Amino acid sequence: MTKNMATMKGSKINAVNSWSSQILGKFGRSDKVMLAERKCSCKYFDNIKIPCGHAMLAADGVGVPYDTLCGHWYKTTVWRETYAGVI
Ligand SMILES: [Zn+2]
């Protein structure tokens, strides 16, 4: 996620409304993030279920914590339970 954020430096956020944002990338790319649906037009967010750089920028813009955007299976507690037997 930190890496995602780093790649987004120089991008601009264009808030459409609080749960839907348009991110203008530094390469002239424009992506639309829908935080409420946990979707982004780059498809990374949809498929991997962790926020892409666009989603993180959008979350920053509306003051939403990043961890609320992650799929529940990425939460540390779930991870610990899953690997408790292994470790
Ligand atoms: Zn994205």
Side-chain angles (χ1 to χ4, degrees):
M1 278 166 80
T2 313
K3 199 177 123 214
N4 288 349
M5 204 61 197
T7 63
M8 293 310 292
K9 275 193 180 139
S11 300
K12 278 187 199 160
I13 177 166
N14 242 359
V16 179
N17 65 50
S18 56
W19 287 105
S20 171
S21 308
Q22 193 178 31
I23 308 295
L24 302 175
K26 54 188 165 183
F27 305 114
R29 196 192 154 113
S30 166
D31 281 293
K32 197 173 179 220
V33 183
M34 285 149 289
L35 287 179
E37 286 99 61
R38 298 179 186 183
K39 282 183 176 171
C40 178
S41 56
C42 77
K43 298 291 176 203
Y44 178 90
F45 197 8
D46 308 35
N47 294 334
I48 319 285
K49 304 295 180 203
I50 57 173
C52 59
H54 314 113
M56 291 171 81
L57 267 186
D60 264 353
V62 295
V64 173
Y66 298 146
D67 60 357
T68 65
L69 301 172
C70 297
H72 70 274
W73 52 89
Y74 283 104
K75 291 245 166 78
T76 336
T77 46
V78 176
W79 189 88
R80 271 200 216 108
E81 278 163 28
T82 310
Y83 292 95
V86 183
I87 298 169

